[in-house]
Amino acid sequence: MDFELESEEQEFDREVEGFLGENASPDVMDPHPEQLSQTVDTPEKRAFMGKLAERGWLGMSWPKEYGGREMSGIYDFVLTEALARHGAPQPGKGVGIVGKTLIRHGSDAMKRKFLPQILRGEIEFAIGYSEPDAGSDAASMRLKAERHGDGWILNGAKLWTTSAHFADWYWVGARTDPDSKHRGITLFLIPMNHPGLSIRPIWTIGDERTNEVFFENVEVPGDSVVGQVNHGWTYICEALDLERFAMMPIGGLEKKVEALCAHVHAAEVSGRPLREDPGVRRRIAQLVTELEVSRMLQKRVISAALKDQIPTVQSSQYKLFMNECGQHVADAALDMMGPDGLLRPGEEGAPLDGKFERSYRYTVVDTIGGGASEIQKNIIATRGLGLPKNF
Ligand SMILES: Cc1cc2nc3c(=O)[nH]c(=O)nc-3n(C[C@H](O)[C@H](O)[C@H](O)COP(=O)(O)OP(=O)(O)OC[C@H]3O[C@@H](n4cnc5c(N)ncnc54)[C@H](O)[C@@H]3O)c2cc1C
């Protein structure tokens, strides 16, 4: 059993690290990256995506017939992790969720239209599953899509759509059969600036913007449907498995633990070096162990994905444990830093420029977005252990 990357993969990792060093810029890289924060929301970040595309680093594992290079998915993983370590934007939504789902289920016309744009890093997507009464139970979504000639008219609302305010396209689920739950959902691709769509911001506890999106008689042509009508739930479930995997890198957490370890080595609180405090030593040892367990759980996900399995249970275990580890790290950091730890990024005297104050607030969100921790436990209990549902 060997957990290390092969030599070519290590070489690729070094190449990406070199590129990221040369292209380091505060306009593109977040000095305090958090799990869900690495979005492509400015022209500078779009230009950065273009540079990744020029190097052929977007869609490396896609089939050649769709412009990919048929490389092992491990290269996508190496790239994603390096970007996460540097706080750089992530290509996961387009390449990992929309692209991979279109390759499996999209029409030829949709593949021709979207896949080349994704590979050129030109296009951004927002993902619309959640609604006011359909979050954990997303299959209860009620956004109504009714047939209208050859097309559809959509009415209703979505909630928590991150990226809606800068994305080009909306990857959105709607109810096309009111008499069926899971088999009554269809997935659509709609321009984000379509007449009848309006967007209202919601600011979350970690300073991250997400949105409400309202649909008022949004009329779209029939070819806006992804795959088959009423099959959307299957595609969404596959995409959610990909999301927990493709969009949940561990690199940001590794950097946080590294920063906290350095702080413990160097800092003093009330004249006493932290490194000599037995409570601090016990806690940091526990945290680096949790980080290592998270890494191992992630490797199990990657290993299953590389064998073309959909790693449902492994993804849930990884997301659950890694996100909770992130909370434990932020919690411990604030305890170790004393009152100064409560100073925000940019405030004078904030230890590590308020990195962990923000992290303490942001990591609350990690255990909700992409499926709450309770839901991950349900998945592990039912699909992993075969326990009955609905208890
Ligand atoms: C920052 C952020 C960004 C997001 N971005 C997007 C996005 O881009 N697109 C999108 O579609 N959605 C997005 N979401 C929505 C996210 O997926 C939902 O918030 C999440 O699925 C939980 O749904 P809910 O908020 O409606 O909570 P609810 O489903 O109402 O849950 C409330 C609580 O009850 C628990 N609970 C619910 N059902 C069960 C059960 N069966 N068993 C045990 N416990 C249960 C939950 O775990 C939770 O603790 C985002 C959320 C956040 C916070």
Side-chain angles (χ1 to χ4, degrees), residues 45-204:
K45 290 181 186 174
R46 287 216 180 197
F48 176 81
M49 277 296 147
K51 288 186 186 174
L52 296 185
E54 277 167 23
R55 276 159 186 76
W57 290 350
L58 299 186
M60 286 178 284
S61 60
W62 286 13
K64 285 190 178 154
E65 64 172 308
Y66 300 120
R69 297 163 66 190
E70 288 181 13
M71 292 165 74
S72 158
I74 201 91
Y75 287 91
D76 291 336
F77 160 74
V78 169
L79 175 70
T80 302
E81 286 300 343
L83 293 171
R85 285 195 296 274
H86 288 260
Q90 296 278 338
K93 243 184 228 173
V95 172
I97 296 180
V98 178
K100 286 195 174 163
T101 307
L102 287 183
I103 287 171
R104 281 191 202 162
H105 305 291
S107 65
D108 287 344
M110 261 192 187
K111 285 177 186 158
R112 273 198 303 276
K113 177 169 178 168
F114 289 104
L115 298 182
Q117 293 187 75
I118 294 173
L119 288 184
R120 291 197 296 268
E122 290 173 355
I123 189 170
E124 274 302 308
F125 297 89
I127 307 279
Y129 306 144
S130 306
E131 295 181 7
D133 293 315
S136 298
D137 185 15
S140 294
M141 66 176 69
R142 288 194 306 204
L143 172 71
K144 191 162 60 174
E146 294 173 298
R147 291 235 188 235
H148 180 71
D150 291 339
W152 299 83
I153 293 191
L154 285 79
N155 277 291
K158 290 281 167 187
L159 191 58
W160 312 121
T161 302
T162 308
S163 315
H165 53 298
F166 58 81
D168 307 290
W169 286 86
Y170 204 8
W171 176 260
V172 62
R175 169 111 358 243
T176 37
D177 180 355
D179 298 324
S180 177
K181 188 174 175 183
H182 298 88
R183 292 191 184 156
I185 292 170
T186 299
L187 204 49
F188 290 84
L189 261 171
I190 299 175
M192 210 63 245
N193 60 0
H194 197 290
L197 276 182
S198 55
I199 299 165
R200 209 157 63 187
I202 307 175
W203 287 97
T204 60

Side-chain angles (χ1 to χ4, degrees), residues 214-257:
F214 300 95
F215 290 68
E216 206 179 327
N217 293 322
V218 174
E219 193 175 336
V220 298
D223 63 5
S224 312
V225 168
V226 177
Q228 293 183 50
V229 172
N230 290 332
H231 282 58
W233 185 247
T234 312
Y235 311 149
I236 289 173
C237 288
E238 280 181 20
L240 274 174
D241 284 328
L242 289 169
E243 178 175 338
R244 284 180 202 129
F245 157 51
M247 293 187 57
M248 301 277 165
I250 202 169
L253 178 59
E254 288 176 333
K255 285 300 202 191
K256 280 192 249 180
V257 173

Side-chain angles (χ1 to χ4, degrees), residues 32 39 48 51 80 103 114 119 142 144 207 213 227 278 282 309 311 323 375 383 388:
H32 306 307
T39 46
F48 176 81
K51 288 186 186 174
T80 302
I103 287 171
F114 289 104
L119 288 184
R142 288 194 306 204
K144 191 162 60 174
D207 303 333
V213 182
R282 276 199 296 272
Q309 297 162 0
N323 284 162
I375 301 309
R383 299 210 211 163

